[in-house]
Amino acid sequence: MKSLFRISPLAASVVATVGLSPFSVAEETFTLEEIVVTAQKREESLQDVPISVSAMSGEKINEAAIPSMMDFAAYVPNFAVAPLALGDVVSIRGIQSGVLASIEQSVGSFVDGIYRGRATQSRFSFLDVGMVEVLRGPQSILFGKNTIAGAVNITSAKPMDEFAAELSGLYEVEHEETEIKGYVSGLLTENLRGRLAWLTRDMDEGWIENEFNDKHEPLTDEIAGRVSLEWDATENLLVSFKYEMGDWDNLGGSTDQIVLTPTMEGLMQAAGYDATPANGKTAIGNTTPGIDYPGQGYFKGDSDETALRVDYSTDKGTVTLIAGYSGYEFDRAVDADFYNSPVEIGFEEVETYDQESLELRYVSEFGEGFEFISGLYYQQSDLDSQAKSLVNNTGLLLNRYAYLEQESESWSAFAQGTWEVRDDVRVTLGARYGEEEKSAAQGVHCAEWDTFTANDALATCATNQFLLEFTPHDFTDLKRDEENWTYSVNAQWDVTPDVMLYSTLSTGTKGGGFNNFALTDDPAEAEFEEEKVKSIEVGAKMTLLNGAAEVNVALFDMDYEDLQSSVYTGNSGFVVKNASSADITGLEIDGRWQLSESLMLRGSAGYVDFTYADYDTAGCTQAQIAAYTGSGACSQDLSGESTPFTPEWTGSLSLEHEIELTQQLFLRTVIDANYKGEHSTAADNDPVSMQDAYTLWNLTLTLGAVNERWDVSLVGRNLTDEEYYIYSNDVPFSNGGHQASFGRGANYAVRGRLKF
């Protein structure tokens, strides 16, 4: 069994003023195992990287039985993932992108060097992970594009020189979830290593009871796999290849009603459904052919990714070439009236995406007081999104068809140099120049029932336009051509061998684009501008207690201009606008402490003060819409308010204890608490959307063989059965109706693993 610590050869006296130990003297200390990251495109100790970054190995993720990116985010300060009805929202320090197809993520994900700018590309990011790194703040020099808020840098587990294999099976009792995953790795020839990893996951009994179809939703059916090869072509040349695929066919959602008007309650009660708000029940479903989805809806699709990497190393540095393809296609449907209603509404979306990229970079290894990284990056992508909004208004069938066909091409050149001014001071300067061209066709029309076939000659087209808020149009020649410079200036000072201070001034941009839900014939509605940020960060990375503890602190202040936001109109559409500006300040702290030979403490805390400096075009609440008498879409002024999904305080605390019961058996206990402060769960900051502060408690007990051949775990998540919701929004065409996506309640699983 791998040791969690290394005993220091020196005993240490620990004084109380350090602030980490309740004891005045410790007879011995334990040195933490070093965490090595690639946040700056070279392998470095986490404690030497002068940015706010959190990292966790795949081994630790498995030990704590963290199942998904959303659950992992709770352990990282100022990082959140919220699953919405139309897609996931990923945010860092309160910056996020919404869910529309035309808006790329403000938080860029990179898996083995391949950029994943769209949420669907990252559905299986936790497949056989080697390391996950979360870099907070704009990362605009060394990472691809559109990383204006931060980057999630994931490294897959690598092929091994010796044969190794693992098979893991998990069964969760409460929701009848089964997960089987594993890998096999080893030498294929003298110079060729391989690794095959796979994952299947099924859930047959979700946590929301849908009285409409007599099922518990959501239900999942997912499979993913990856094959990786590493070839030592020569002593200096390493060639790596991977192919990854994923397939999913999921049914339903986690939506429950939270506020109902008396009229809506009466309709549901008359239909025989329980209309009690927030009771873990819903009645979402339609009976009209064409929108009679099996419950809340469905989401099915597939993805694949291929990457070829070539590393040529010399005694002066390494040249790296990464060529990649990433793509997906999906078919998604949502029961968009969100309850059993005489007015039945369905939304369906079909999307395909293809991306090719090429990166060439050089990382120096001079070792003489100056190091640099330089490179070129190219990316081309094609997006095809089609959507239909279907309404059965007491027998009158309406269908709105919207589409976006977009091509994007970008390239950039970047360089970053680090000078060792003296033994304890380093200065890093970086710059990136980029150009991006986008061209698109966008339109919206009346359509034949339950088809993607436009037909503005329909007899119902005038009624269709009025109720669904659109004017038929085709924009066939939308174009954008942007170029920008970004820069970063960083200074590091090794105050002592164990304390490093740093400060960074950096800028970032995120490209503009086109609104796939532009509903009027005004071309200005079809386009939104790029957003920009200037960020200042100061921090400290400290190793304490003779290596037994680490504490990292970062303070930041960011000024955003032209923030991109998707604004819900209150009935059937979204408008993409640029909020004028936002000021964001905050704090991040994380660390770990080897308390004893068998006890490890980990913790983190994040504080964010997010204020819209000037945002008078935000979407209205239902109450505001009901009282609105003006022309055009209703809007409200959120200047001085905060952004949704962003509490002021978040935090996590984890305690890991491991002992040998016998010479053959060990017992590991991991208990953690994840805290999230009060925050809005809707983009319009409606008071009914406020989620109170809550804490989720998790526990994993693992009994296993000291030789690491097998282990069995009992896994409990949300042990106190905390009730909380992740996202909420208005119910279309229903003043006073609100729906919310609820988090998973208490759940318990047993997991077994075999290693060979």
Side-chain angles (χ1 to χ4, degrees):
M1 182 179 61
K2 294 181 180 177
S3 176
L4 296 175
F5 57 86
R6 296 189 302 273
I7 298 179
S8 171
L10 300 177
S13 296
V14 183
V15 295
T17 52
V18 173
L20 284 177
S21 175
F23 308 109
S24 60
V25 178
E27 293 187 0
E28 61 181 358
T29 60
F30 307 93
T31 303
L32 292 167
E33 184 176 353
E34 182 182 44
I35 297 177
V36 177
V37 297
T38 56
Q40 296 194 117
K41 302 302 182 181
R42 62 172 82 236
E43 291 189 350
E44 299 174 286
S45 169
L46 177 65
Q47 296 306 103
D48 293 334
V49 178
I51 57 177
S52 181
V53 55
S54 297
M56 187 179 293
S57 68
E59 181 182 359
K60 293 301 179 185
I61 290 171
N62 285 331
E63 287 176 359
I66 301 172
S68 67
M69 185 68 78
M70 185 186 77
D71 296 280
F72 170 76
Y75 299 85
V76 180
N78 294 335
F79 177 50
V81 179
L84 276 57
L86 298 182
D88 292 347
V89 169
V90 182
S91 66
I92 289 180
R93 295 175 176 174
I95 297 298
Q96 46 88 13
S97 305
V99 297
L100 293 186
S102 51
I103 301 181
E104 293 184 69
Q105 294 287 315
S106 295
V107 179
S109 292
F110 299 83
V111 179
D112 299 324
I114 302 300
Y115 173 62
R116 296 180 177 179
R118 311 186 65 78
T120 305
Q121 290 174 283
S122 298
R123 286 191 64 83
F124 299 104
S125 293
F126 266 33
L127 173 65
D128 196 30
V129 167
M131 179 68 73
V132 180
E133 306 166 23
V134 179
L135 292 68
R136 294 175 288 268
Q139 307 297 321
S140 54
I141 307 301
L142 300 181
F143 287 88
K145 58 190 291 288
N146 289 3
T147 52
I148 193 168
V152 180
N153 187 35
I154 300 176
T155 304
S156 303
K158 299 300 183 185
M160 302 168 131
D161 288 318
E162 298 181 356
F163 175 80
E166 180 179 317
L167 180 63
S168 172
L170 176 144
Y171 180 73
E172 193 276 315
V173 179
E174 192 73 17
H175 306 119
E176 298 183 15
E177 182 179 24
T178 302
E179 180 184 86
I180 299 174
K181 62 181 181 180
Y183 71 85
V184 59
S185 182
L187 283 175
L188 301 176
T189 68
E190 182 180 357
N191 298 319
L192 181 65
R193 298 172 294 280
R195 189 180 184 106
L196 174 66
W198 65 89
L199 163 71
T200 65
R201 182 165 46 224
D202 301 279
M203 183 162 60
D204 298 328
E205 195 81 6
W207 56 92
I208 297 295
E209 179 183 350
N210 192 336
E211 295 181 300
F212 178 84
N213 62 0
D214 195 26
K215 293 182 182 295
H216 283 74
E217 302 177 355
L219 310 176
T220 63
D221 184 2
E222 301 175 336
I223 184 171
R226 179 194 301 126
V227 59
S228 305
L229 299 172
E230 282 189 350
W231 175 38
D232 297 318
T234 69
E235 183 178 352
N236 298 329
L237 183 63
L238 174 64
V239 180
S240 305
F241 170 84
K242 81 164 187 181
Y243 171 74
E244 181 178 315
M245 59 76 61
D247 186 276
W248 64 96
D249 187 355
N250 299 340
L251 171 67
S254 57
T255 299
D256 186 5
Q257 62 270 5
I258 58 172
V259 175
L260 299 175
T261 61
T263 300
M264 291 177 66
E265 284 187 282
L267 288 170
M268 294 183 68
Q269 297 286 14
Y273 300 120
D274 187 347
T276 306
N279 65 345
K281 295 182 179 181
T282 193
I284 296 179
N286 284 323
T287 57
T288 300
I291 54 177
D292 50 350
Y293 313 136
Q296 298 189 32
Y298 59 82
F299 185 25
K300 54 187 177 182
D302 58 74
S303 62
D304 63 307
E305 185 169 285
T306 305
L308 176 66
R309 173 171 175 155
V310 180
D311 292 284
Y312 181 73
S313 301
T314 70
D315 56 355
K316 295 298 183 181
T318 301
V319 178
T320 299
L321 176 69
I322 303 175
Y325 166 83
S326 183
Y328 63 82
E329 58 183 15
F330 69 70
D331 184 0
R332 174 165 48 200
V334 176
D335 185 297
D337 55 77
F338 293 103
Y339 74 114
N340 189 257
S341 163
V343 180
E344 297 181 334
I345 307 173
F347 174 80
E348 296 179 43
E349 185 178 23
V350 176
E351 183 173 305
T352 60
Y353 179 76
D354 296 284
Q355 168 191 305
E356 297 89 28
S357 61
L358 184 67
E359 181 174 0
L360 176 66
R361 68 170 179 263
Y362 174 73
V363 178
S364 74
E365 292 290 347
F366 298 149
E368 298 176 353
F370 172 72
E371 302 289 357
F372 76 93
I373 301 172
S374 62
L376 299 170
Y377 181 81
Y378 172 82
Q379 179 177 305
Q380 188 275 333
S381 64
D382 296 295
L383 171 68
D384 185 351
S385 175
Q386 301 183 71
K388 54 184 177 181
S389 300
L390 303 157
V391 177
N392 175 15
N393 186 9
T394 60
L396 179 63
L397 302 181
L398 308 173
N399 182 10
R400 182 186 71 201
Y401 164 62
Y403 70 91
L404 175 69
E405 299 172 358
Q406 177 178 283
E407 296 182 358
S408 177
E409 186 175 34
S410 65
W411 73 270
S412 57
F414 59 92
Q416 178 173 289
T418 300
W419 287 263
E420 189 173 316
V421 179
R422 62 187 200 197
D423 289 345
D424 58 350
V425 176
R426 293 171 298 284
V427 174
T428 300
L429 303 177
R432 189 181 193 106
Y433 172 78
E435 294 185 2
E436 183 170 19
E437 295 180 358
K438 288 182 178 178
S439 60
Q442 190 276 334
V444 61
H445 294 277
C446 298
E448 303 284 352
W449 179 252
D450 193 27
T451 71
F452 292 100
T453 303
N455 185 356
D456 294 330
L458 289 173
T460 58
C461 193
T463 305
N464 199 340
Q465 294 177 57
F466 175 75
L467 291 179
L468 293 176
E469 309 174 301
F470 74 95
T471 302
H473 67 264
D474 289 294
F475 299 128
T476 58
D477 193 28
L478 298 172
K479 293 185 181 297
R480 290 189 61 84
D481 189 355
E482 299 174 356
E483 58 181 83
N484 56 73
W485 281 95
T486 55
Y487 65 84
S488 176
V489 181
N490 175 274
Q492 296 172 254
W493 175 32
D494 296 331
V495 182
T496 72
D498 294 325
V499 177
M500 182 264 283
L501 303 180
Y502 70 89
S503 62
T504 303
L505 171 65
S506 61
T507 62
T509 64
K510 178 184 170 187
F514 307 107
N515 179 10
N516 59 307
F517 272 109
L519 298 182
T520 74
D521 55 1
D522 180 3
E525 184 186 334
E527 189 170 358
F528 52 91
E529 300 302 318
E530 67 178 342
E531 64 182 38
K532 301 177 182 179
V533 65
K534 180 177 288 185
S535 172
I536 298 174
E537 180 176 306
V538 295
K541 300 209 168 181
M542 298 170 283
T543 301
L544 306 171
L545 305 179
N546 284 343
E550 294 172 349
V551 176
N552 300 327
V553 182
L555 295 166
F556 58 87
D557 183 281
M558 302 188 296
D559 294 323
Y560 276 83
E561 297 179 5
D562 296 324
L563 271 172
Q564 298 167 4
S565 61
S566 54
V567 179
Y568 178 55
T569 63
N571 284 332
S572 65
F574 289 85
V575 177
V576 179
K577 296 182 178 181
N578 291 87
S580 179
S581 59
D583 299 324
I584 308 170
T585 59
L587 165 73
E588 287 143 2
I589 305 173
D590 61 1
R592 52 189 183 134
W593 180 16
Q594 190 74 51
L595 293 162
S596 71
E597 183 176 340
S598 59
L599 195 61
M600 167 79 80
L601 178 68
R602 304 172 191 269
S604 70
Y607 170 78
V608 173
D609 180 7
F610 186 115
T611 304
Y612 287 117
D614 183 11
Y615 187 20
D616 59 3
T617 58
C620 286
T621 66
Q622 279 282 19
Q624 291 169 333
I625 293 173
Y628 181 62
T629 58
S631 60
C634 176
S635 62
Q636 65 167 316
D637 189 350
L638 289 183
S639 302
E641 301 293 326
S642 184
T643 190
F645 314 114
T646 307
E648 283 192 339
W649 284 100
T650 57
S652 72
L653 201 62
S654 176
L655 194 63
E656 179 181 336
H657 181 248
E658 183 172 323
I659 59 172
E660 291 188 3
L661 299 176
T662 69
Q663 291 184 340
Q664 289 78 35
L665 296 176
F666 74 88
L667 177 66
R668 180 189 304 119
T669 303
V670 181
I671 184 169
D672 57 65
N674 299 318
Y675 170 83
K676 198 165 189 176
E678 183 185 57
H679 61 282
S680 173
T681 60
D684 58 14
N685 281 0
D686 194 315
V688 303
S689 74
M690 294 301 296
Q691 168 63 53
D692 293 335
Y694 62 90
T695 301
L696 301 181
W697 290 85
N698 309 304
L699 174 66
T700 303
L701 298 173
T702 302
L703 177 69
V706 171
N707 63 10
E708 295 190 308
R709 292 298 186 186
W710 63 268
D711 62 49
V712 177
S713 300
L714 297 177
V715 182
R717 303 196 68 80
N718 191 4
L719 296 177
T720 58
D721 199 23
E722 188 75 29
E723 184 181 276
Y724 64 100
Y725 51 95
I726 303 165
Y727 164 77
S728 66
N729 204 354
D730 303 323
V731 173
F733 304 108
S734 180
N735 180 30
H738 292 261
Q739 50 87 12
S741 292
F742 273 69
R744 193 168 179 173
N747 58 95
Y748 309 92
V750 58
R751 181 189 67 184
R753 296 191 296 179
L754 292 174
K755 297 183 180 181
F756 307 93

